[in-house]
């Protein structure tokens, strides 16, 4: 199936669209970072935070003093100028005690949390006096802070992903440079960089929970981009050798080649995305956890959307400019040198 696409004259439009996505992503990421949520939205397997947990037990059964203890915590946090973004309550089955956990962002000062805990301990000790039997109304009361970090292997994952991406990009550049032309190699390099940047920007903009899977799909984005780009380049090379198409301009040749491979690339991206989704759905059924697949499935969809848009829409609109520059350079190189003016004979 073929379609008549004329994208070569819309380079400015698609550059503006890509720039809008990048700028919007940076704005959202910076704002979220300033609020303490991070540039990217860390998922369950990638989250890092700090928390304060207060536990208590009553000697006289159920007691309403738990609200007093919570009030102590709230006042202590305000005094230290810190705020939590989540709170979890717990209560003993017989109502004789409970616990409460306040969760803070990873950027919260550890010293401020410890000072808040000391303040609460002091208030508890001063408020609850020992009764005639030698017991306090509230005893076994404990408050402590701790840090949770679940991405200790992030540096290694980033290193491996970086090596994989660099390897794919260098291989594609050298392959296209040897088999095709320099302008095509530069176009392939631009497609990889654009699609990878677009993938990361959409992840940050849409606040998709990320984990180690994001690095894997970053590599998949580059590999899929390479395949889609080579499919279009192969068709372009074939069309260049077709004498019936010799009168086409570089832009028209790109449009024709992209039209001939458009649905092929679309089917490739869609089938690959569907396969990934099916795999993770089956994994969620086996592990009985639907939430575990949300992040990788969304990352997969963003990866293939980025690949398709960048390879089949953005690159065909930009590549003719590379091609024109390459042809202009070739003409200058082949142009005969201007004859030197002969100097008049000295007599």
């Amino acid at each position: 199936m073929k379609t008549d696409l004329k994208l070569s004259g819309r380079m400015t439009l698609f550059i503006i669209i890509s720039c809008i996505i990048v700028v919007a992503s940076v704005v959202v990421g910076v704002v979220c970072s300033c609020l303490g949520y991070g540039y990217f939205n860390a998922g369950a397997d990638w989250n890092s935070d700090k928390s304060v947990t207060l536990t208590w037990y009553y000697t006289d059964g159920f007691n309403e003093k738990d609200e007093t203890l919570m009030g102590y915590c709230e006042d202590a946090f305000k005094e230290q100028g810190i705020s939590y973004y989540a709170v979890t309550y717990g209560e003993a089955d017989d109502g004789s005690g409970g616990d409460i956990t306040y969760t803070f962002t990873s950027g919260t000062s550890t010293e401020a949390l410890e000072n808040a805990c000391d303040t609460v301990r002091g208030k508890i000790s001063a408020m609850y006096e020992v009764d005639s039997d030698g017991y306090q109304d509230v005893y076994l009361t404990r408050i402590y802070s701790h840090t949770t970090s679940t991405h200790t292997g992030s540096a290694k994952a980033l290193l491996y992903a970086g090596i994989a991406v660099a390897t794919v990009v260098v291989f594609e550049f050298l392959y296209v440079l040897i088999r095709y032309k320099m302008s095509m190699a530069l176009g392939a390099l631009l497609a990889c960089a654009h699609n990878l940047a677009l993938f990361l920007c959409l992840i940050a903009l849409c606040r998709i929970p990320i984990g180690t899977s994001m690095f894997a799909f970053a590599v998949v984005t580059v590999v899929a981009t390479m395949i889609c780009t080579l499919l279009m380049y192969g068709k372009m090379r074939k069309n260049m050798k077709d004498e019936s198409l010799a009168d086409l301009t570089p832009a028209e040749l790109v449009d024709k080649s992209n039209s001939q491979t458009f649905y092929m690339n679309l089917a490739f991206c869609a089938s690959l995305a569907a396969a990934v989704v099916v795999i993770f759905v089956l994994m969620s059924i086996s592990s009985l956890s639907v939430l575990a697949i949300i992040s990788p499935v969304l990352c997969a969809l963003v990866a293939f959307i980025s690949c398709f848009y960048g390879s089949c829409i953005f690159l065909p609109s930009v590549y003719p400019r590379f091609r024109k520059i390459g042809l202009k350079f070739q003409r200058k190189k082949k142009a005969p040198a201007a004859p030197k003016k002969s100097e008049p004979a000295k007599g």
Side-chain angles (χ1 to χ4, degrees):
M1 183 182 294
K2 299 180 181 180
T3 182
D4 295 326
L5 294 174
K6 297 186 182 298
L7 302 176
S8 57
R10 296 178 173 82
M11 180 183 72
T12 304
L13 171 63
F14 295 119
I15 289 179
I16 291 175
I17 292 175
S18 296
C19 289
I20 290 175
I21 294 174
V22 172
V23 171
S25 168
V26 171
V27 171
V28 172
V30 170
V31 170
C32 291
S33 296
C34 294
L35 295 177
Y37 297 106
Y39 192 92
F40 292 99
N41 180 23
D45 62 335
W46 201 254
N47 197 20
S48 180
D49 54 41
K50 296 179 181 179
S51 60
V52 169
T53 300
L54 172 69
T55 60
W56 65 88
Y57 182 79
Y58 296 113
T59 58
D60 55 355
F62 180 75
N63 199 307
E64 296 297 331
K65 292 177 180 176
D66 53 352
E67 295 183 1
T68 303
L69 295 176
M70 296 176 194
Y72 289 164
C73 292
E74 297 282 352
D75 294 340
F77 297 151
K78 291 180 181 178
E79 181 181 337
Q80 294 298 322
I82 55 179
S83 58
Y84 55 87
Y85 69 85
V87 59
T88 305
Y89 301 93
E91 185 176 324
D93 294 337
D94 58 358
S96 60
D99 64 78
I100 182 171
T101 299
Y102 300 92
T103 306
F104 301 79
T105 61
S106 58
T108 306
S109 170
T110 302
E111 182 180 0
L113 292 175
E114 290 295 342
N115 291 338
C117 291
D118 291 339
T119 300
V120 174
R121 292 189 192 100
K123 289 184 177 181
I124 292 175
S125 299
M127 177 61 68
Y128 298 108
E129 302 293 339
V130 177
D131 61 17
S132 58
D133 296 327
Y135 293 99
Q136 289 178 303
D137 287 339
V138 180
Y139 76 105
L140 295 181
T141 304
R142 182 170 175 242
I143 184 169
Y144 60 95
S145 64
H146 62 279
T147 300
T148 302
S149 180
T150 58
H151 61 278
T152 54
S154 60
K156 185 177 292 186
L158 179 61
L159 175 62
Y160 290 157
I163 293 174
V165 168
T167 301
V168 173
V169 171
V170 171
F171 169 78
E172 181 185 17
F173 180 81
L174 294 177
Y175 175 80
V176 176
L177 179 62
I178 295 172
R179 183 173 176 79
Y180 300 104
K181 300 177 179 180
M182 173 60 78
S183 60
M184 288 183 168
L186 294 176
L189 187 63
L190 174 64
C192 288
H194 172 271
N195 294 0
L196 181 59
L198 188 66
F199 167 74
L200 297 175
C201 288
L202 288 175
I203 292 291
L205 179 62
C206 299
R207 309 306 298 167
I208 296 175
I210 65 168
T212 308
S213 60
M214 185 189 74
F215 295 116
F217 285 112
V219 178
V220 170
T221 300
V222 176
V223 174
T225 297
M226 179 185 69
I227 295 173
C228 291
T229 303
L230 291 179
L231 285 174
M232 187 182 74
Y233 280 176
K235 183 60 67 173
M236 284 177 60
R237 187 185 187 193
K238 182 178 180 180
N239 290 337
M240 287 177 184
K241 297 179 179 180
D242 190 342
E243 295 182 357
S244 63
L245 304 176
D247 294 334
L248 294 182
T249 64
E252 292 172 340
L253 184 65
V254 172
D255 285 337
K256 183 173 183 61
S257 302
N258 185 46
S259 298
Q260 293 172 331
T261 59
F262 185 84
Y263 285 109
M264 186 186 304
N265 284 330
L266 177 60
F268 167 73
C269 292
S271 59
L272 201 55
V276 171
V277 171
V278 169
I279 290 173
F280 279 104
V281 168
L282 293 177
M283 291 174 61
S284 71
I285 294 175
S286 61
S287 62
L288 300 178
S289 175
V290 177
L291 295 177
I293 71 167
I294 293 179
S295 176
V297 166
L298 291 178
C299 283
L301 294 177
V302 171
F304 296 119
I305 289 173
S306 302
C307 172
F308 178 73
Y309 168 76
S311 303
C312 302
I313 298 177
F314 180 81
L315 179 60
S317 69
V318 176
Y319 175 73
R321 184 61 59 89
F322 284 88
R323 180 62 179 155
K324 287 181 180 179
I325 295 174
L327 291 175
K328 187 176 180 180
F329 178 78
Q330 288 179 0
R331 293 192 193 101
K332 287 184 178 181
K333 190 175 180 180
K334 294 180 179 180
K340 295 182 179 180
K341 294 182 179 179
S342 58
E343 297 182 359
K346 296 180 181 180

